Amino acid sequence: MPRKEKQKLKLMAVLDILRRQTDEKHPVGVPEILQLLQERNISAERKSIYDDVDTLREMGYDVQLRRGRRGGYYLVEGEFQLAELKLLVDAVQASKFITKAKSRELIKKLERFTSRYQEDELQRQVLVSGRYKTNDERIYYSVDALHRAIFEKRQITFTYREWNMEKRLVARHNGKLYCVSPWALVWENGNYYLIAYSEGKLKNYRVDKIAHVELLDADREGAEAYAQFDVNQYVQQMFDMFGGKEENVTLLCDKKLVGAIIDRFGTGPILIPCEDGEHFRVHVQVQVSPRFFGWVAGFDGGVQIAAPASVRRKMAACMHKNAAANEGEPTP
C-alpha cells in the first residue's frame, strides 16, 4: 500500500490503539504509539501523534494525558462504558433467541469497544436454569425481512412452525402460508414476537417459529387497530403471550406480594389496602386463559380472583380439571 494511503489509516489506527491498548491504569506514551503503528506498517512522526490526539478530542473522544513516570495517553471511555457492555453481554447470553455461536460472535465484537485489559470482564457466564437456546441461524434473516416489511409497510407471507416428537420444528398445517400485515416486534420473556394484523385483529407470532418470509407488494392493513394498540398494556394483559377474552379482573393479594403485582402489571393500577392490613385489592385488565390461572395458582393462595364470579368459576374449573388429571395413574 502506498505511503499516502497508509497515512489516511493512521488516525483510525491511533484510535484503535487508544481503545484497545489503554485505560486509566494503562496509558501509552508517544514512543509506544509509534512502535504499535510501525507494527501495522504505518510510519509516523512524533508531532503527528499530538495532532491526531487533538483531532480525536475534537471528534468527541475523551483522550487524557497522564504526566510523569509511566505516563501517557489513554481513552477515558469509548462508545460504551464497561458497565453498559456488561449489560449487553448479559442480554446476549440470556437470550433464547440468539444461538450459542452467534452469542460468541457478538460478544467478541463487543470486546472491541473496550481495552484488552477489561475485555476479560466481559467473559461472563449468565446462568439461566433450563434455558433453551436456538440453533437455527436462519432466524436472523427472518428478523431482517420482518424489520424491512415493517419499515416499508408491506404485507408478508410465511410458514409457521411447531415442535414435533422428534424435537424438530416442522411447518404447521402442512406448510400453509400465513398472510399478515406486520406492525411491530416485541421482546418478551427472552423471545421475539411479531405483532401483525390478520383476520380483523392484531395477533402475535413467535419469530423463531416463523420461516420463509416473503414480502408482498400489497400495502399492510390494520392501521386503525394499531393506532389504538398499547404494547405495554398488551404484554401485561397476556400471560406467556397466550391470548384469551379480555376482562377487568379484581385480585385479592397478600401484602407481601406488592412487588410481584408491580412486576407483572406495572405501577399504573391502584393498590387498595384491605381493612385487615394484610391484604390489598387491585383491578387489572387481563386476557383470561389457562396461563393466567396458572400464574394465579403459582402464588399458592397468596393471589385470589375476587371478581368477576364468572372468572372465579373458570379458574375453579381449570384447577379441578388439573387436579382430576393428576389423580391416580396418568392415562393418555
Side-chain angles (χ1 to χ4, degrees), residues 40-58:
R40 303 184 185 205
N41 295 319
I42 300 175
S43 60
E45 296 178 357
R46 188 182 188 92
K47 183 181 181 301
S48 70
I49 302 302
Y50 301 128
D51 294 337
D52 288 339
V53 169
D54 289 340
T55 300
L56 290 173
R57 285 170 173 167
E58 290 174 5

Side-chain angles (χ1 to χ4, degrees), residues 1 3 5-22 28-30 32-44 48-49 52-53 55-56 59 61 63 73 75 112:
M1 184 181 296
R3 174 185 172 83
E5 291 185 26
K6 284 186 176 294
Q7 291 305 305
K8 292 180 180 179
L9 299 176
K10 182 163 71 69
L11 181 63
M12 294 181 62
V14 171
L15 174 59
D16 187 58
I17 289 169
L18 291 171
R19 179 187 286 141
R20 298 290 293 137
Q21 304 290 338
T22 76
V28 295
V30 172
E32 187 175 354
I33 293 176
L34 291 171
Q35 177 61 39
L36 291 169
L37 287 173
Q38 190 63 48
E39 292 175 5
R40 303 184 185 205
N41 295 319
I42 300 175
S43 60
S48 70
I49 302 302
D52 288 339
V53 169
T55 300
L56 290 173
M59 293 170 62
Y61 292 98
V63 182
Y73 291 103
L75 188 62
R112 300 174 190 169

Side-chain angles (χ1 to χ4, degrees), residues 151-167:
F151 177 76
E152 296 179 6
K153 302 177 182 180
R154 294 161 62 182
Q155 292 185 34
I156 60 170
T157 60
F158 57 82
T159 56
Y160 202 55
R161 303 177 296 173
E162 61 187 353
W163 290 100
N164 65 10
M165 291 298 293
E166 286 72 45
K167 300 180 182 179

Side-chain angles (χ1 to χ4, degrees), residues 136 138-143 145-146 156-162 169-172 175-179 194 205-215:
D136 189 355
R138 293 174 297 177
I139 192 169
Y140 309 114
Y141 301 104
S142 294
V143 170
L146 294 174
I156 60 170
T157 60
F158 57 82
T159 56
Y160 202 55
R161 303 177 296 173
E162 61 187 353
L169 280 170
V170 296
R172 280 185 180 179
K176 164 197 166 184
L177 282 180
Y178 288 63
C179 182
L194 171 69
Y205 303 87
R206 275 266 298 268
V207 172
D208 58 317
K209 294 184 178 180
I210 290 174
H212 309 112
V213 181
E214 296 288 342
L215 277 66

Side-chain angles (χ1 to χ4, degrees), residues 99-261:
T99 67
K100 291 181 180 179
K102 181 61 72 172
S103 294
R104 288 192 294 269
E105 181 182 332
L106 290 174
I107 291 170
K108 291 299 291 183
K109 290 180 179 179
L110 289 172
E111 288 174 359
R112 300 174 190 169
F113 291 97
T114 190
S115 74
R116 62 187 177 91
Y117 305 102
Q118 295 178 329
E119 68 180 36
D120 287 346
E121 295 187 50
L122 298 183
Q123 295 299 322
R124 301 153 65 82
Q125 183 60 47
V126 179
L127 302 179
V128 186
S129 177
R131 174 60 56 90
Y132 164 77
K133 214 163 169 63
T134 183
N135 291 316
D136 189 355
E137 296 280 352
R138 293 174 297 177
I139 192 169
Y140 309 114
Y141 301 104
S142 294
V143 170
D144 183 62
L146 294 174
H147 274 297
R148 187 154 52 90
I150 291 170
F151 177 76
E152 296 179 6
K153 302 177 182 180
R154 294 161 62 182
Q155 292 185 34
I156 60 170
T157 60
F158 57 82
T159 56
Y160 202 55
R161 303 177 296 173
E162 61 187 353
W163 290 100
N164 65 10
M165 291 298 293
E166 286 72 45
K167 300 180 182 179
R168 295 177 54 201
L169 280 170
V170 296
R172 280 185 180 179
H173 307 307
N174 297 315
K176 164 197 166 184
L177 282 180
Y178 288 63
C179 182
V180 306
S181 296
W183 282 94
L185 287 167
V186 175
W187 186 272
E188 171 64 13
N189 196 28
N191 291 309
Y192 240 159
Y193 292 88
L194 171 69
I195 306 298
Y197 185 81
S198 176
E199 299 176 335
K201 62 181 179 180
L202 291 170
K203 302 180 180 181
N204 69 78
Y205 303 87
R206 275 266 298 268
V207 172
D208 58 317
K209 294 184 178 180
I210 290 174
H212 309 112
V213 181
E214 296 288 342
L215 277 66
L216 304 179
D217 291 331
D219 294 336
R220 68 182 176 188
E221 301 172 344
E224 184 176 345
Y226 189 71
Q228 303 172 23
F229 178 74
D230 184 322
V231 64
N232 292 322
Q233 185 181 67
Y234 182 81
V235 172
Q236 288 170 0
Q237 290 176 358
M238 301 187 78
F239 287 76
D240 294 333
M241 298 301 280
F242 274 74
K245 181 183 178 182
E246 185 176 325
E247 300 208 37
N248 191 349
V249 174
T250 301
L251 301 177
L252 176 64
C253 313
D254 286 352
K255 189 176 180 180
K256 64 184 180 182
L257 295 177
V258 168
I261 297 301

